[in-house]
């Protein structure tokens, strides 16, 4: 396999396994050598030492036996025989002990057996006859037995013991040499293991430096260049597959960031262009508002002056020459007066429509119950003429401009009175209910109603469903109401499900932290026919004609 495809983990694992195997082999050899060294030391301390001591003590016991026999042969005193007897016992103990230590040394053990046999043979041939001669015939009979043959016989035995000591010394020297050899081997193994660890550490450092540090440093330098703004610079992957894959992921992230930045730059360019267009439109709107204000000024001053003059002189003509001209002339003059007056009303309504949201007194908390009291007062004349009533109860406090809200409700109530049924009195009720974060306010009457297909048309400026001869007005009242509601953040519509009259509903935002209204408790008062408050048992306020 190509070495470049080896992962960093595989390389480090392989190196660690090789080093581990080598260290394990060295440790195994070291354990074997340490066991051998311990065996040699145990043999040196527990075998060769006691053997040397035993061999020297054995020679001493043999000499004690030979000396005891000679002394007993000269003196015949049993006291002189004590060293012989003690030496025999010591000899047997020493030989038994040495024989037990030489189970794995057959040559030396055979030498010990020969010494045991020769010592026994010396006692049978020399020591026992001397003792018997002394005991039976006296010292003179025993001394001839200790001749040259007896001395040679004991020298042979002593030579055998000396040879045993030489063999034991050789064994001790061999064991000591083996112990030194295994000790030296252990030292070499420790030095080798230390060298292997140092070499492995150096190799690991070089491996990490070559496969990790250098590639990471190179990758970091490329990322740093990208971070400084060179988003089009490709990031090259180097090193092991892990770091190459990391570099590929970073480069993929760079590409996505570069693409998103390109989109952001493009969006910023579009936004700047849109802002420039909006700025131009804002400037156009400022100019348009200036022109509108100028038009409003002209309409409220300069344009109405000739209208007032036309209307005034037409009315003068109507009063001064009424009946003096023919009937057609009177009709023409009446048309002129009516046209001038209608033009004045249209201009005034347009001015009122244009001022909504432009000339503001600021939003305040407005109690719609108080507003309805004002509405009842402003529509009193129309109610008296129509013989109707207006009722309301538990209307909320809203946030808005009181004059505009008053104008809105005046228009709604006036329309209800205007578009009444000729055969029954007008009944107008204004109520409110909370729907989520909005107040839904309803103005419902028992008038002629509105066909569903015209529900949206009535809120368009100057749109009329009836001729001006049937119902007076300019057709702008509901358009003004719609603009007032939208200015306050609400919406207005005709409820198509209501039959037997008209129900116009509109919404206004709820004042923050305002609780829901309580049910009527009968404490509200009503407006009497002359505009003054009056009590009603159900707590509903009303204004009647």
């Amino acid at each position: 396999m190509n070495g470049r495809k080896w992962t960093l983990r595989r390389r480090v694992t392989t190196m660690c396994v090789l080093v581990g195997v080598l260290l394990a082999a060295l440790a195994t050899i070291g354990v074997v050598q340490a066991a051998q060294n311990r065996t040699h030391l145990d043999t040196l301390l527990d075998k060769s030492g006691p053997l040397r001591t035993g061999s020297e003590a054995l020679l001493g016991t043999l000499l004690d036996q030979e000396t005891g026999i000679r002394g007993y042969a000269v003196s015949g005193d049993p006291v002189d025989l004590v060293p012989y007897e003690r030496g025999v016992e010591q000899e047997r103990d020493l030989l038994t002990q040495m024989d037990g230590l030489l189970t794995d040394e057959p040559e030396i053990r055979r030498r010990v057996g020969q010494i045991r046999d020769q010592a026994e043979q010396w006692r049978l041939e020399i020591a026992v006859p001397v003792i018997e001669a002394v005991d039976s015939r006296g010292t003179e009979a025993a001394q001839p037995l200790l001749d040259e043959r007896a001395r040679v016989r004991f020298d042979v035995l002593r030579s055998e013991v000396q040879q045993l000591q030489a063999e034991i010394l050789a064994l001790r020297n061999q064991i000591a040499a083996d112990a030194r050899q295994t000790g030296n081997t252990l030292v070499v193994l420790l030095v080798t293991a230390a060298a292997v660890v140092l070499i492995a550490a150096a190799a690991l450092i070089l491996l990490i430096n070559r496969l990790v540090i250098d590639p990471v440093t190179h990758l970091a330098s490329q990322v740093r260049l990208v971070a400084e703004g060179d988003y089009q610079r490709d990031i090259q992957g180097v090193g092991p597959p892990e770091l190459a894959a990391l570099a590929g992921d970073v480069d993929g992230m760079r590409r996505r960031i570069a693409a998103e930045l390109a989109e952001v730059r493009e969006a910023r360019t579009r936004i700047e262009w849109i802002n420039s267009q909006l700025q131009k439109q804002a400037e156009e709107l400022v100019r348009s508002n200036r022109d509108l204000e100028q038009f409003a000024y002209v309409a409220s001053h300069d344009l109405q002056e000739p209208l007032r003059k036309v209307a005034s002189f037409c009315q003068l003509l109507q009063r001064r020459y009424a009946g003096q001209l023919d009937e057609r002339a009177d009709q023409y003059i009446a048309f002129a007066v009516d046209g001038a007056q209608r033009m004045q009303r249209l201009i005034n309504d347009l001015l009122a429509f244009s001022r909504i949201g432009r000339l503001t007194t600021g939003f305040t908390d407005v109690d719609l119950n108080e507003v309805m009291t004002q509405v009842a007062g402003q529509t009193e004349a129309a109610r008296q003429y129509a013989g109707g009533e207006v009722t309301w109860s538990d209307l909320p406090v809203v946030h808005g401009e009181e004059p505009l809200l008053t104008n809105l409700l005046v228009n709604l109530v006036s329309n209800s009175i205007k578009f009444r049924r000729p055969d029954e009195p007008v009944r107008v009720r204004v109520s409110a209910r909370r729907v989520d974060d909005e107040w839904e306010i309803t103005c419902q009457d028992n008038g002629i109603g509105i066909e569903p297909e015209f529900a949206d048309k009535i809120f368009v400026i100057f749109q009329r469903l009836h001729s001006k001869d049937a119902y007076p007005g300019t057709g702008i009242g509901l358009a003004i109401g719609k603009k007032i509601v939208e200015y306050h953040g609400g919406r207005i519509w005709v409820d198509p499900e209501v039959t037997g009259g008209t129900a116009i509903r509109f919404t206004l935002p709820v004042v923050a932290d305002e609780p829901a209204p309580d049910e009527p408790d009968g404490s509200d008062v009503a407006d009497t026919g002359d505009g003054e408050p009056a009590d009603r048992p159900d707590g509903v306020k009303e204004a009647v004609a």
Side-chain angles (χ1 to χ4, degrees), residues 190 200 516:
L190 290 175

Side-chain angles (χ1 to χ4, degrees), residues 297-314 336 339-341 343-344 347:
Y297 178 81
V298 171
S300 61
H301 294 82
D302 299 343
L303 189 59
Q304 291 205 40
E305 174 60 26
L307 280 176
R308 284 194 296 269
K309 184 177 291 186
V310 170
S312 297
F313 279 101
C314 287
Q341 290 176 347
M343 178 62 75
Q344 284 183 325
I347 292 174

Side-chain angles (χ1 to χ4, degrees), residues 362-382:
F363 278 26
T364 58
D365 290 340
V366 180
D367 187 350
L368 294 184
N369 291 294
E370 297 179 359
V371 170
M372 282 304 301
T373 301
Q374 298 179 28
V375 171
Q378 294 183 29
T379 59
E380 181 180 0

Side-chain angles (χ1 to χ4, degrees), residues 453-515:
E453 61 267 23
F454 302 120
D456 294 329
K457 183 178 180 182
I458 61 174
F459 296 106
V460 179
I461 190 171
F462 296 142
Q463 292 294 320
R464 298 173 56 91
L465 302 182
H466 307 279
S467 65
K468 63 182 180 63
D469 295 333
Y471 295 97
T474 59
I476 200 174
L478 289 178
I480 292 176
K482 182 175 184 294
K483 190 171 182 181
I484 292 174
V485 171
E486 292 176 348
Y487 174 66
H488 284 78
R491 52 196 175 87
I492 187 171
W493 71 96
V494 176
D495 190 343
E497 297 180 358
V498 174
T499 59
T502 303
I504 296 181
R505 307 183 190 276
F506 64 93
T507 60
L508 294 175
V510 173
V511 178
D513 300 329
E514 180 181 355

Side-chain angles (χ1 to χ4, degrees), residues 222 225-234 254:
Q222 296 183 84
L225 292 175
V226 174
E228 291 174 355
D230 189 6
Y231 298 108
Q232 303 303 321
R233 179 185 182 88
D234 291 335
R254 175 198 63 82

Side-chain angles (χ1 to χ4, degrees), residues 399-414:
H399 199 61
E401 292 191 23
E402 183 175 352
L404 294 181
L405 295 175
T406 302
N407 190 8
L408 167 64
L409 290 170
V410 166
N411 283 335
L412 295 179
V413 172
S414 298

Side-chain angles (χ1 to χ4, degrees), residues 104-136:
D104 54 350
E105 297 293 338
E107 293 296 328
I108 301 177
R109 189 176 187 184
R110 183 178 57 80
R111 178 74 63 183
V112 171
Q114 291 177 357
I115 292 174
R116 180 187 292 110
D117 294 340
Q118 291 181 6
E120 189 67 28
Q121 190 69 27
W122 174 80
R123 282 191 291 273
L124 291 175
E125 293 179 359
I126 304 297
V128 172
V130 170
I131 295 172
E132 291 177 350
V134 172
D135 292 340
S136 61

Side-chain angles (χ1 to χ4, degrees), residues 260-274:
E260 291 177 359
L261 285 177
E263 293 178 0
V264 169
R265 291 192 184 98
E266 183 179 355
R268 182 184 299 170
T269 302
R270 290 198 302 269
I271 290 173
E272 290 176 353
W273 181 81
I274 292 173

